[in-house]
């Protein structure tokens, strides 16, 4: 059973395209701060094309071009780039940018902000950087008891965009038992693509002996898909970057295999998994669709401006 929607979301598509277009326009090397998206294959493909991935702006030679990843950055990262005279192109997903704007707005109104997310994740670091004095991280339901706020009537929760919907709502429910006046974000922070991928996996999981999710271990939304599959009744679930990582013993005695992929995974990797499974007797594929995704995001304005200028000179 092949899940749909799966794979690339609009934010990932835009981020990867940003690096590809920057390489075409400015020539190699183009520096990228952190992994542009959390996928091993995408990163190695872009490296082969001339992208150089760095951890921090200090590693980028002064005056060079740097692309900020889809996960977003704190304001100080923009300041550092200016100080080093870097040409910065911000490939932050617009849905992450929305959470940044919410954080700034609630901080300006002097709210305590409870950011539900995973400690150390780049997106959480970026969002927290917008208002460090106002934001405290809530890493799942078990960390609710540690929350301390100044005024229980001025508290709002926001979240990382790639979380498990169910676990986030469980965290919110526990927070509300302690803070009954807790406000919710003006619109859902967990991105549409994360929700759609989780929903279809939930639908197919009860019928599956094993669910294979294509994605990297540092991809929050991919890891969540395996958890969602297991919670929804799949008897086993595994995360793989490539078809070659599938172990034959996972398939022993299985009748039905579910396949999906995280939001930063190119579909050719999923097709490789289907071929691998077909060679082992799972040749009949039913695509199970729960939503159609048509959203696209335009490229970052800094890049569009330069592409327009180059086209006018051509």
């Amino acid at each position: 059973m092949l899940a749909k929607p799966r794979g690339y979301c609009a934010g990932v598509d835009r981020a990867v395209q940003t690096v590809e277009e920057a390489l075409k326009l400015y020539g190699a090397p183009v520096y990228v701060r952190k992994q542009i998206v959390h996928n091993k294959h995408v990163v190695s493909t872009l490296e082969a094309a001339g992208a150089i991935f760095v951890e921090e702006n200090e590693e980028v030679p002064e005056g060079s071009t740097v692309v900020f990843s889809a996960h977003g950055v704190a304001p100080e990262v923009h300041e550092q780039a200016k100080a080093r005279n870097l040409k910065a192109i911000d490939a932050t997903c617009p849905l992450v940018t929305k959470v940044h704007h919410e954080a700034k707005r609630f901080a300006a109104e002097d709210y305590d902000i409870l950011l539900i997310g995973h400690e150390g994740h780049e997106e959480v670091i970026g969002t927290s950087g917008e208002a460090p004095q106002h934001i405290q991280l809530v890493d799942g339901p078990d960390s609710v008891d540690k929350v301390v706020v100044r005024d229980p009537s001025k508290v709002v929760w926001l979240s990382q965009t790639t979380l498990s919907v169910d676990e986030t709502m469980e965290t919110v429910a526990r927070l509300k038992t302690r803070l009954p006046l807790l406000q919710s974000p003006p619109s859902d922070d967990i991105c549409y693509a994360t929700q759609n991928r989780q929903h279809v996996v939930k639908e197919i999981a009860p019928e599956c002996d094993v669910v294979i999710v294509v994605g990297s271990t540092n991809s929050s939304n991919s890891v969540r898909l395996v958890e969602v599959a297991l919670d929804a009744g799949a008897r086993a679930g595994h995360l793989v970057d490539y078809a070659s990582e599938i172990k034959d013993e996972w398939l022993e005695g299985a009748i039905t295999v579910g396949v999906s992929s995280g939001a930063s995974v190119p579909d050719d990797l999923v097709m490789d998994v289907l071929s691998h499974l077909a060679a082992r007797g799972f040749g009949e594929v039913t695509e199970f669709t729960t939503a159609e995704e048509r959203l696209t995001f335009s490229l970052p304005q800094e890049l569009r401006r330069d592409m327009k200028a180059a086209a006018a000179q051509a």
Side-chain angles (χ1 to χ4, degrees):
M1 296 185 80
L2 179 60
K4 187 182 174 186
R6 62 179 178 275
Y8 270 17
C9 60
V12 164
D13 200 24
R14 171 184 188 262
V16 174
Q17 218 186 322
T18 296
V19 179
E20 291 169 344
E21 292 296 337
L23 282 164
K24 271 188 227 164
L25 191 60
Y26 311 120
V30 164
Y31 291 84
V32 184
R33 185 184 175 278
K34 308 284 186 191
Q35 292 192 356
I36 185 70
V37 296
H38 286 157
N39 184 265
K40 212 188 265 188
H41 179 76
V42 170
V43 168
S44 58
T45 304
L46 291 172
E47 274 177 336
I52 296 176
F53 290 87
V54 298
E55 283 302 301
E56 297 299 343
N57 286 337
E58 291 82 76
E59 299 167 61
V60 182
E62 292 215 11
S64 301
T65 299
V66 64
V67 178
F68 297 146
S69 82
H71 308 105
V73 296
E76 65 181 13
V77 175
H78 288 280
E79 294 306 318
Q80 291 162 357
K82 269 194 199 123
R84 291 184 64 75
N85 193 26
L86 302 180
K87 181 181 185 57
I89 298 171
D90 190 354
T92 301
C93 171
L95 299 178
V96 173
T97 302
K98 175 182 84 79
V99 182
H100 281 229
H101 288 323
E102 289 169 355
K104 283 190 281 198
R105 181 161 77 80
F106 283 110
E109 293 171 18
D110 203 31
Y111 273 75
D112 277 335
I113 300 165
L114 306 180
L115 178 61
I116 301 172
H118 295 302
E119 188 159 6
H121 190 281
E122 281 155 47
E123 188 186 322
V124 163
I125 294 166
T127 304
S128 300
E130 292 288 0
Q133 310 306 316
H134 289 263
I135 292 177
Q136 56 185 303
L137 182 65
V138 183
D139 194 341
D142 295 338
S143 57
V144 166
D145 295 339
K146 298 188 199 115
V147 169
V148 180
V149 298
R150 294 168 301 157
D151 177 354
S153 68
K154 282 198 86 169
V155 191
V156 65
W157 69 270
L158 303 177
S159 85
Q160 186 180 326
T161 60
T162 53
L163 299 180
S164 152
V165 178
D166 292 343
E167 189 184 316
T168 302
M169 294 334 289
E170 188 191 330
T171 305
V172 171
R174 286 198 32 191
L175 283 168
K176 282 189 170 164
T177 60
R178 290 196 53 209
L179 301 161
L181 299 176
L182 178 69
Q183 292 189 37
S184 298
S187 64
D188 211 331
D189 283 349
I190 296 179
C191 97
Y192 76 95
T194 298
Q195 295 191 43
N196 287 346
R197 279 148 193 70
Q198 288 177 16
H199 179 63
V200 64
V201 163
K202 235 185 233 184
E203 292 285 315
I204 65 171
E207 294 177 51
C208 296
D209 299 299
V210 57
V211 171
I212 291 169
V213 175
V214 187
S216 293
T217 51
N218 65 336
S219 161
S220 175
N221 77 86
S222 302
V223 172
R224 298 293 82 74
L225 284 177
V226 178
E227 294 172 359
V228 165
L230 293 169
D231 287 347
R235 285 168 277 302
H238 303 281
L239 184 66
V240 298
D241 267 297
Y242 298 102
S244 57
E245 295 169 16
I246 296 169
K247 296 186 171 140
D248 285 346
E249 56 261 36
W250 297 349
L251 307 172
E252 277 170 20
I255 308 291
T256 304
V257 179
V259 176
S260 185
S261 60
S264 43
V265 177
D267 213 43
D268 53 349
L269 297 184
V270 177
M271 295 305 122
D272 290 347
V273 165
L274 295 184
S275 302
H276 182 96
L277 292 171
R280 283 151 185 80
F282 297 90
E284 189 188 321
V285 179
T286 305
E287 190 167 55
F288 193 92
T289 307
T290 53
E292 292 292 339
E293 293 179 351
R294 295 192 177 85
L295 185 65
T296 56
F297 294 131
S298 55
L299 291 170
Q301 64 187 59
E302 312 90 353
L303 184 59
R304 286 203 316 267
R305 197 173 51 230
D306 287 357
M307 287 167 77
K308 205 168 162 187
Q313 284 174 354

